[in-house]
């Protein structure tokens, strides 16, 4: 035993414990979560009228007198098990807004719907893949003595892709401040789309909500150059949302024109700084707005939902555009495992965060994401269901809400007592997570063969294969 690694000795200790079967049940219930939350306490469900105890649960009878629950971290680099669950929820959330389901009527598939991509503007030439990078017949150098062209053909995975041709020419200040205002720029964009739709049909802008409603779900994705661009599903409904048909003038063509015009028009101005000046921030020149059609003449709805779900689990470190944890001091930037380009962006973010005029942006708190302060996924209220509703449905499906109802009352007393695994427990949990992932893939293949792959929630695929 002494010759075994610590993790193996710990795993043997756990498996020989009389309560190991119950511990295994808890780990399986968390899906093999990498960093489970440890709770201690009890829950009692009573009949509100008679006071009869319908159900009582107490952690005093659990292994270690604690209950393990999911960490619910969306990042695959932190917890693969919880990120898969989050991706599944995201898929169904986006898909419900495209095809219906989850209390959204199926008629939404016939509404004007677009898959929109908005990019960041150029902050300077960077190396690109797939073709000759930056061919220049006349050659030449920039003012810093570096070539302004590159005749190489880079692979997609080449480390130089996304790196500036000349770091000294690159507008790092503009890049960081654009990130810090990207969410505001999106808000202005949505408002302007509504205004353009109203004006195009002769409506007073303030009365647009009486005739139609613009619903959306958007995700932010880091490009190779470490700049965020936005993918969004945009849908036009009637004034009451998905239950209401849009007016006759509400067509996909009209919505496309409004989206393209607004993307070119909207801007956000930064506050004036004596060190930087005032910047006018806009979307990039590349704007894509593709209609989503019920007759499959366009991008597939399931493919769009899967694309969004794929990127919602990616952290900044996985995309090579920052870190998944906050930077506490400026010296941390020098040791961060990032490219020189990203390190320069982080240093710029930290430096600008020290200026009084940019204090409201909290740039130092967001140095790890290069100044981007928005959520990875956001949606309008009427687009579709919510993460909370999906979790509640999953709990009800598993039978966790057997005693819930209007005539019951629940008394709960819980406290946090820790998180994570011991070395041996981490090994066992990783094995369980891998087994569940394999089961999920087997069930997906089987459901795909039957032609009803999307009928079950993501997490239920794993349980169906046991």
């Amino acid at each position: 035993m002494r010759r075994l690694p610590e993790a193996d000795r710990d795993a043997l200790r756990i498996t020989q414990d009389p309560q190991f079967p119950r511990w295994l049940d808890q780990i399986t219930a968390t899906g093999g979560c990498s960093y489970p939350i440890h709770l201690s306490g009890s829950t009692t469900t009573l009949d509100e009228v008679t006071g009869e105890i319908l159900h009582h649960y107490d952690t005093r009878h659990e292994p270690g007198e604690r209950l393990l629950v999911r960490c619910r971290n969306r990042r695959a680099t932190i917890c693969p098990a919880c990120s898969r669950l989050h991706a599944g929820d995201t898929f169904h959330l986006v898909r419900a807004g495209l095809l219906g389901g989850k209390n959204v009527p199926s008629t939404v598939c016939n509404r004007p719907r677009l898959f929109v991509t908005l990019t960041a503007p150029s902050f300077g030439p960077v190396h690109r893949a797939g073709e000759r990078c930056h061919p220049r017949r006349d050659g030449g150098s920039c003012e810093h003595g570096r070539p302004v062209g590159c005749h190489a053909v880079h692979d997609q995975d080449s480390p130089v892709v996304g790196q500036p041709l000349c770091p000294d020419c690159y507008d790092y200040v503009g890049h960081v401040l654009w990130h810090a205002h990207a969410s505001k720029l999106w808000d202005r964009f949505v408002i302007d789309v509504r205004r353009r739709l109203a004006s195009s049909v002769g409506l007073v802008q303030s009365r647009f909500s009486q005739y139609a409603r613009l619903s959306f779900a958007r995700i932010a994705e880091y490009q190779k150059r470490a700049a965020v661009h936005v993918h969004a599903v945009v849908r036009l409904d009637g004034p009451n949302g998905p239950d209401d048909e849009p007016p006759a003038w509400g067509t996909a063509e009209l919505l496309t024109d409004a989206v393209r015009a607004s993307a070119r028009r909207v801007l956000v101005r930064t506050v004036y700084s004596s060190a930087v000046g005032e910047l006018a921030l806009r979307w990039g020149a590349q704007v894509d707005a593709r209609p989503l059609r019920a007759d499959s003449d366009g991008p597939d709805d399931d493919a769009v939902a899967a694309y969004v779900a794929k990127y919602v689990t990616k952290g900044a470190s996985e995309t090579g555009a920052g870190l998944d944890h906050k930077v506490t001091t400026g010296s941390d930037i020098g040791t961060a495992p990032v490219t020189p380009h990203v390190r320069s962006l982080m240093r710029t973010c930290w430096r600008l965060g020290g200026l009084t005029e940019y204090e409201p942006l909290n740039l130092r708190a967001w140095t790890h994401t290069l100044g981007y302060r928005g959520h990875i996924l956001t949606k309008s209220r009427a687009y579709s269901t919510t993460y909370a509703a999906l979790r509640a449905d999953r709990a009800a499906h598993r039978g966790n809400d057997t005693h819930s109802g209007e005539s019951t009352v629940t008394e709960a007393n819980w406290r946090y007592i820790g998180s994570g695994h011991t070395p041996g427990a981490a090994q066992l949990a990783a094995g369980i997570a891998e087994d569940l992932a394999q089961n999920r893939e087997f069930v997906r293949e089987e459901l795909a063969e039957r032609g009803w792959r999307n009928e079950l929630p993501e997490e239920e695929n794993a349980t169906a294969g046991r």
Side-chain angles (χ1 to χ4, degrees), residues 226-243:
V228 163
H229 66 179
V230 171
H231 299 294
V233 176
V234 180
R235 190 185 70 226
L236 191 63
D237 297 320
N240 296 318
D243 294 321

Side-chain angles (χ1 to χ4, degrees), residues 226-296:
V228 163
H229 66 179
V230 171
H231 299 294
V233 176
V234 180
R235 190 185 70 226
L236 191 63
D237 297 320
N240 296 318
D243 294 321
D244 218 355
E245 292 293 330
W249 49 259
T251 64
E253 290 73 19
L254 188 70
L255 183 58
T256 301
D257 292 342
V259 164
R260 293 186 180 278
S262 296
R264 292 191 299 267
R265 178 180 182 275
V266 296
L267 64 87
V268 172
R269 296 187 182 277
T270 64
V271 297
Y272 175 78
S273 168
S274 58
V276 176
E278 181 187 68
L279 303 183
L281 306 175
R282 300 176 181 272
W283 294 109
Q286 295 181 344
V287 178
D288 189 21
R290 303 183 185 184
L292 297 169
R293 306 186 188 280
D295 58 5
S296 299

Side-chain angles (χ1 to χ4, degrees), residues 370-426:
L370 314 182
Y372 180 71
R373 304 183 299 148
H375 293 288
I376 293 298
L377 176 73
T378 57
K379 74 176 190 68
S380 60
R381 182 177 301 177
Y383 174 77
S384 69
T385 185
T386 64
Y387 284 120
L390 290 171
R391 291 169 187 151
D393 288 345
R394 183 161 52 247
H397 180 83
R398 290 174 173 173
N400 293 351
D401 295 337
T402 304
H403 301 285
S404 64
E406 296 182 358
S407 62
T408 63
V409 60
T410 300
E411 297 177 355
N413 181 22
W414 294 94
R415 63 186 180 91
Y416 168 83
I417 58 174
S419 62
H421 286 300
T422 62

